[in-house]
Amino acid sequence: MAFASATVMKVHVQPGDTLSGLTRQALGQLGQMRPADAQRMPFRDLMARIHTVAEHNQIHNPDRILAGQTIDFSALIGSQGPAAKVLNGHPPHLSQTLSANEAAAVVLGERTGTQYRVLERTLDRAVSRGFIPANEAADVQRRILDMSRSYRFNPDDFARVSLMESDGLNPRATNGNCHGIIQFCNGPARGAASAGYAKDPEKILDLSVLEQLDLVERYFEDTGLQQYKPASLDNLYLTVLYPAGRSERQMNQSLGVPGQQAAALHVGGNQNAPITRASLRKGLIENANQRLSQFSLAQAQREPLARADTRADAQGLRRPATRDLLAVR
């Protein structure tokens, strides 16, 4: 049974909502696929549906929806469209669909999407860059949320830390001395040793993001993050970068971090200047904003290119491949 074309399903955006999270929930609640399948939907398939909703609602930037805004998800309805198919390509079973009258009365209830925008965008980016398999993204998200509840840090802050340390949850990130999603470093009493990899720290690179998150929790326990509940962004990052620096409580005093770090972390972006709590916070936030903004721009530019590719393929034409707009850190 297909939904009637006049069926309207609307939701009023609440603070913390994202179009990707609302789209996943709409697909599940409208019977277009099982809710569990909607949560596991591959990134590319989800983006196609997000753009369908965005175009239907004349949303020019899918990454920017506002609290109080009304979004109509009826564009997802219909057995002929891609949104009416489950992941294996078959339309939903009759028992999984609603009547047109029932669908017209649907208002989204409790939201299953994350309220943490930076984390969600970081996960989307990690999937698109091949850091996390699409079918593991929901498990990675849940693991980070569980850890955030245990140590009382903001999940968005963990995403910001990972964007600085590993280009956003890249399990293969390494500088030859430090490895993985939070850069477990070689040496006695350092990150790799704390995580149980003192003898073979490079083996951390063989682990998935989910497996490395287990090491992260072990490291947080070993370095006493629990004593900083709630853990601020600066204390969370200092736990990763230089735990001894947490003893300095003043925002504008040097933390004594040895060596040169990423320029964004130093006062004024000058690597010869010290790192303070204030400069550290500023650098982490600006770095995350920049990387995620570049990701959104790349998505927006790839979408029309993908459509052009489809048309060219239909006409038997070929287009040269476009280069990736984002450089891996």
Side-chain angles (χ1 to χ4, degrees):
M1 175 188 293
F3 286 98
S5 60
T7 298
V8 176
M9 186 268 194
K10 296 181 178 180
V11 61
H12 297 289
V13 176
Q14 303 297 315
D17 282 341
T18 64
L19 192 55
S20 59
L22 292 176
T23 300
R24 286 185 192 274
Q25 187 174 359
L27 288 167
Q29 291 202 6
L30 281 173
Q32 303 301 287
M33 59 178 57
R34 293 183 296 273
D37 288 335
Q39 291 303 310
R40 292 193 298 265
M41 178 182 290
F43 179 80
R44 287 186 179 181
D45 292 345
L46 176 63
M47 286 306 300
R49 279 119 172 126
I50 289 172
H51 281 286
T52 296
V53 174
E55 288 181 358
H56 183 71
N57 289 272
Q58 298 184 341
I59 297 173
H60 301 294
N61 183 357
D63 291 323
R64 182 174 176 79
I65 59 174
L66 305 176
Q69 181 178 359
T70 299
I71 299 178
D72 177 6
F73 287 88
S74 61
L76 297 176
I77 299 172
S79 60
Q80 301 304 312
K85 299 177 181 180
V86 294
L87 296 183
N88 62 7
H90 298 293
H93 190 273
L94 286 176
S95 64
Q96 295 176 327
T97 61
L98 304 173
S99 70
N101 289 337
E102 289 173 323
V106 169
V107 176
L108 290 182
E110 183 179 356
R111 288 170 173 77
T112 56
T114 176
Q115 62 179 306
Y116 300 108
R117 179 177 177 78
V118 177
L119 175 61
E120 184 170 271
R121 297 299 294 148
T122 300
L123 289 168
D124 287 346
R125 181 177 180 271
V127 170
S128 75
R129 296 172 79 84
F131 300 161
I132 301 173
N135 62 355
E136 292 184 7
D139 289 334
V140 170
Q141 176 179 303
R142 282 191 290 269
R143 188 73 180 84
I144 293 171
L145 293 177
D146 287 345
M147 201 185 314
S148 75
R149 285 188 285 268
S150 296
Y151 290 94
R152 292 185 60 197
F153 59 75
N154 187 326
D156 281 346
D157 287 346
F158 185 85
R160 294 182 178 105
V161 168
S162 77
L163 283 162
M164 178 63 73
E165 289 296 287
S166 62
D167 191 36
L169 297 171
N170 180 1
R172 309 289 179 263
T174 182
N175 62 9
N177 183 56
C178 303
H179 321 284
I181 59 175
I182 66 166
Q183 295 293 276
F184 297 96
C185 292
N186 304 347
R190 301 195 70 188
S194 176
Y197 283 79
K199 293 183 178 179
D200 298 296
E202 293 82 5
K203 287 189 176 180
I204 290 173
L205 299 174
D206 296 331
L207 304 177
S208 68
V209 171
L210 268 175
E211 291 168 328
Q212 289 190 25
L213 285 171
D214 289 338
L215 305 187
V216 171
E217 182 159 24
R218 188 185 307 177
Y219 175 76
F220 283 168
E221 181 71 24
D222 192 48
T223 52
L225 181 61
Q226 62 270 21
Q227 67 183 294
Y228 295 94
K229 295 181 179 180
S232 61
L233 172 59
D234 38 313
N235 276 330
L236 179 64
Y237 187 54
L238 282 170
T239 299
V240 172
L241 177 67
Y242 184 58
R246 297 177 299 186
S247 61
E248 175 55 69
R249 303 300 179 89
Q250 298 300 312
M251 290 300 293
N252 294 304
Q253 291 296 315
S254 173
L255 296 171
V257 178
Q260 290 185 342
Q261 304 298 325
L265 299 175
H266 292 260
V267 174
N270 179 357
Q271 288 180 306
N272 293 318
I275 294 175
T276 67
R277 285 182 177 270
S279 69
L280 184 151
R281 290 176 63 87
K282 179 175 181 290
L284 287 167
I285 291 170
E286 290 181 350
N287 174 72
N289 289 345
Q290 180 182 22
R291 290 178 188 267
L292 295 180
S293 294
Q294 288 174 344
F295 171 58
S296 296
L297 176 62
Q299 283 184 303
Q301 292 180 347
R302 287 191 187 106
E303 180 65 18
L305 289 173
R307 292 177 183 172
D309 283 338
T310 300
R311 290 194 297 270
D313 288 342
Q315 298 168 9
L317 303 175
R318 287 173 175 260
R319 295 178 63 261
T322 56
R323 68 186 289 267
D324 193 349
L325 299 176
L326 297 175
V328 177
R329 178 172 176 258

